[in-house]
Amino acid sequence: MLWKKQIPLAITFIMGLLLGIQYFVPHRISENFFQGYLDWAIVIGIFAAILSYISFYRVHGMRIKKKAPAWQYSVVAIVMSVTMALFGFIQGREEGMVFMNMYSYILVAIEGTMFSLLAFYISSAAYRAFRARSTQATALLLAAIIVMLGRVPLGESISFWHNIWPSLPTFTGIANWILNVPNMAAKRGMQLGIGLGIMMLSLKIILGIERSYMGSGD
Amino acid sequence: MHISMNPWVWIGVFFTFSVLSFLYKDNPFYKLAEHVTVGVSIGYGLVIWWTNSVIPRFYIPVFEQGQWILIIPAILGLMMVLRIVPKYSWLSRYAICFSVGAGSGMAIPRSMQAQVLRQLEATMLNLSFTSGAGINNIIIFFGVLTVLVYFFFSKEHKGVFGGVAKVGIWFLMIGFGATFGYTVMARLSLFIGRVLFVLQDFLGINLAG
């Protein structure tokens, strides 16, 4: 119990206290301590990253070993990771090398397309979610439409009223106003809430009230 | 039209259409693209991890500059790996607690500074009805106030308090709508990027005229 729970909790408390106080002490020792911590954190991260690689090869290796459904895709994942790493280590990362071509024509192509797919799904989800069922939902729908129109040249060209009364803003102007005024107010309110929430959670962690990050078991 | 002879462009187009095929339904081409992404990302991460982190941040400082103290965080990092060994998984707590504790300690003053005080400071604006900017400042000020009231759940949203909270919902709805619109446009610009790749890089169509 002492080694498995109390000492780790004491480490959390001591580190939390030290790093919390350090912020308010503008002394060379305090700054050196903080820089030392940052160096340590990077090294911990470097070695902790091994966990992610082991986990990847273990999960896919098990799928192949057990001949799990669609195990062939795991072979693809492992082969691609090894190929990419070998080309990176052997050939280097200069422009025109296989490593960079795999990055530009495979990784960027797939990830870019995957993110763009969301444009289709987000639109169909919006149709179902935003059907102006209430005045508040209508406000959301209108704000979204105006911002979308304000971001493209079409919005500027269909703002016919601007030609009649030049003092009235175009869709671009209205979109900018929505983004800079009511949207800013909403975001700021949320930011304040998030900030206070982070502080409360951090305090709970340091005091040992919140322990879920330690995982279950003894 | 001049179709590209670069095999990498063909591979890029193949994977672009493989991913887009998901719009019809999940299929082997999409699954292939998905697993290729995972594999390539891991391989990419391995190379970057080794060349940008292990060598300059650990190997050189320890073995060339003699900063042997960095062996301690290295051991802590390796203890994190023991997470996958059930018998010794508890040892990973030392590294986790070290990082989480330090992160929490850093978060309290920094969050107070950046997310609370700075936001409050930015809300303390010059309020006036005589100029457009002044009216906008009033809207921002009351918007922040009403949104905060909406998020205050310790008091029942009834009466004047409930009315103010309702105004907060209006601000939140407009904010969510604006964020949604902005996100859709960002995704669409990514889609346009992929279409341009197929038209220009692959088919060789000169869209600039």
Side-chain angles (χ1 to χ4, degrees):
Chain A
M1 199 67 167
L2 177 78
W3 290 98
K4 291 182 181 178
K5 239 177 198 164
Q6 279 149 355
I7 291 180
L9 280 173
I11 292 173
T12 304
F13 179 75
I14 293 164
M15 287 308 293
L17 208 64
L18 287 175
L19 267 299
I21 293 168
Q22 182 280 327
Y23 184 81
F24 299 101
V25 185
H27 191 273
R28 192 170 45 81
I29 296 172
S30 159
E31 279 158 19
N32 287 346
F33 168 73
F34 184 62
Q35 192 50 52
Y37 162 72
L38 290 181
D39 292 340
W40 277 42
I42 289 168
V43 175
I44 291 175
I46 287 171
F47 283 88
I50 296 171
L51 181 64
S52 64
Y53 299 123
I54 292 175
S55 175
F56 168 78
Y57 288 109
R58 211 166 73 133
V59 166
H60 285 283
M62 288 300 278
R63 279 171 57 87
I64 296 166
K65 196 179 161 191
K66 286 183 178 171
K67 293 269 188 293
W71 60 272
Q72 295 86 345
Y73 294 113
S74 292
V75 177
V76 172
I78 289 177
V79 168
M80 289 309 290
S81 73
V82 173
T83 311
M84 184 76 169
L86 282 179
F87 276 112
F89 286 128
I90 296 166
Q91 268 197 333
R93 291 190 283 148
E94 286 75 40
E95 205 57 50
M97 294 291 144
V98 176
F99 180 81
M100 284 316 289
N101 281 331
M102 282 177 82
Y103 174 77
S104 305
Y105 293 100
I106 297 179
L107 201 59
V108 171
I110 296 176
E111 285 186 347
T113 318
M114 270 184 187
F115 278 111
S116 73
L117 268 189
L118 281 177
F120 296 95
Y121 288 107
I122 214 169
S123 306
S124 70
Y127 172 73
R128 274 170 281 168
F130 293 172
R131 275 176 298 178
R133 288 190 201 135
S134 65
T135 44
Q136 285 159 350
T138 314
L140 193 149
L141 184 67
L142 280 175
I145 290 171
I146 292 169
V147 169
M148 282 192 266
L149 284 173
R151 298 284 108 189
V152 288
L154 176 75
E156 198 75 14
S157 53
I158 61 170
S159 306
F160 60 88
W161 58 86
H162 186 68
N163 298 330
I164 306 164
W165 299 287
S167 58
L168 289 178
T170 58
F171 267 121
T172 311
I174 303 169
N176 286 339
W177 181 82
I178 288 175
L179 286 167
N180 293 331
V181 181
N183 174 56
M184 166 91 81
K187 290 278 156 64
R188 204 166 273 168
M190 284 192 274
Q191 281 283 328
L192 280 163
I194 292 166
L196 291 168
I198 290 173
M199 286 166 61
M200 290 307 111
L201 183 65
S202 301
L203 206 61
K204 279 171 79 177
I205 287 172
I206 292 170
L207 296 175
I209 300 165
E210 171 62 51
R211 300 177 182 188
S212 57
Y213 64 91
M214 289 173 74
S216 55
D218 293 331
Chain B
M1 200 166 86
H2 177 74
I3 295 177
S4 170
M5 286 295 123
N6 181 350
W8 287 109
V9 172
W10 282 72
I11 291 170
V13 170
F14 170 74
F15 282 120
T16 300
F17 282 109
S18 296
V19 174
L20 284 175
S21 68
F22 190 76
L23 286 171
Y24 171 60
K25 66 175 186 181
D26 198 4
N27 63 75
F29 288 107
Y30 179 77
K31 275 208 169 73
L32 177 76
E34 204 177 34
H35 285 78
V36 165
T37 316
V38 174
V40 171
S41 303
I42 289 285
Y44 181 79
L46 259 170
V47 175
I48 299 295
W49 170 74
W50 185 261
T51 52
N52 287 12
S53 301
V54 178
I55 299 296
R57 307 305 293 255
F58 180 72
Y59 181 82
I60 293 175
V62 173
F63 297 106
E64 289 182 14
Q65 295 166 354
Q67 293 181 37
W68 296 101
I69 189 85
L70 290 178
I71 295 289
I72 301 171
I75 293 167
L76 276 173
L78 286 171
M79 282 162 98
M80 202 93 96
V81 180
L82 289 173
R83 194 96 197 143
I84 52 174
V85 184
K87 200 178 169 189
Y88 299 107
S89 67
W90 61 273
L91 278 168
S92 67
R93 285 180 185 167
Y94 284 79
I96 294 170
C97 287
F98 181 87
S99 305
V100 171
S104 302
M106 284 196 295
I108 294 175
R110 283 167 181 82
S111 180
M112 184 69 179
Q113 173 72 19
Q115 287 185 296
V116 179
L117 296 179
R118 280 272 162 82
Q119 298 296 332
L120 283 175
E121 187 189 340
T123 312
M124 301 298 151
L125 299 159
N126 186 18
L127 310 178
S128 81
F129 286 101
T130 51
S131 66
I135 293 168
N136 283 343
N137 290 347
I138 291 172
I139 297 170
I140 291 175
F141 179 76
F142 282 102
V144 173
L145 209 65
T146 54
V147 169
L148 285 177
V149 166
Y150 171 72
F151 282 122
F152 190 76
F153 297 114
S154 300
K155 185 173 159 55
E156 206 178 343
H157 289 185
K158 267 183 174 176
V160 179
F161 192 79
V164 174
K166 269 214 173 91
V167 178
I169 298 176
W170 274 86
F171 272 95
L172 282 170
M173 284 299 183
I174 294 169
F176 291 144
T179 308
F180 176 83
Y182 209 77
T183 310
V184 170
M185 295 319 285
R187 305 294 185 193
L188 274 179
S189 68
L190 273 172
F191 181 69
I192 291 166
R194 297 321 301 161
V195 172
L196 284 178
F197 170 72
V198 173
L199 293 180
Q200 290 181 328
D201 295 32
F202 178 60
L203 295 176
I205 298 169
N206 186 8
L207 293 171

